[in-house]
């Protein structure tokens, strides 16, 4: 059984997910929500945490895919 990481609501400023945008050679665009490695959609609870992850993913993307922050409820 996996351990759940709970972030106290006191430091939460929202709920965010990471969206991966892939544009294929035929200009077909595919959108994918990042998962947490356990088959669940990754959910982050501070904009700063989401922003750091997106910056790291975009810096290390050698395939040209783009990562962005999606606020839940937007």
């Amino acid at each position: 059984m996996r351990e759940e990481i709970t972030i106290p609501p006191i430091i939460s400023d929202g709920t965010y997910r990471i969206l991966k945008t892939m544009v294929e050679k035929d200009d077909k665009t595919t959108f994918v929500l990042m998962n947490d490695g356990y088959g669940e959609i990754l959910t982050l609870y501070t904009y700063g945490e989401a922003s750091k992850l997106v910056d790291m993913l975009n810096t290390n993307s050698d395939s040209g895919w783009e990562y962005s922050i999606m606020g839940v409820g937007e």
Side-chain angles (χ1 to χ4, degrees):
M1 184 173 192
R2 71 173 195 202
E3 287 185 39
E4 289 289 329
I5 298 174
T6 305
I7 299 174
I10 297 168
I11 62 170
S12 177
D13 60 14
T15 304
Y16 305 94
R17 296 195 171 139
I18 306 301
L19 183 67
K20 178 179 172 180
T21 304
M22 302 177 290
V23 179
E24 304 295 333
K25 292 179 183 177
D26 62 358
D27 287 330
K28 179 182 173 190
T29 303
T30 303
F31 301 96
V32 178
L33 288 171
M34 180 173 275
N35 74 39
D36 63 3
Y38 297 101
E40 299 290 326
I41 295 173
L42 177 67
T43 302
L44 303 165
Y45 296 97
T46 66
Y47 184 84
E49 181 182 39
S51 181
K52 285 181 186 179
L53 181 55
V54 163
D55 287 345
M56 180 188 68
L57 291 168
N58 283 326
T59 299
N60 289 292
S61 177
D62 60 357
S63 57
W65 297 340
E66 186 175 315
Y67 297 86
S68 57
I69 300 169
M70 186 176 88
V72 174
E74 289 184 354

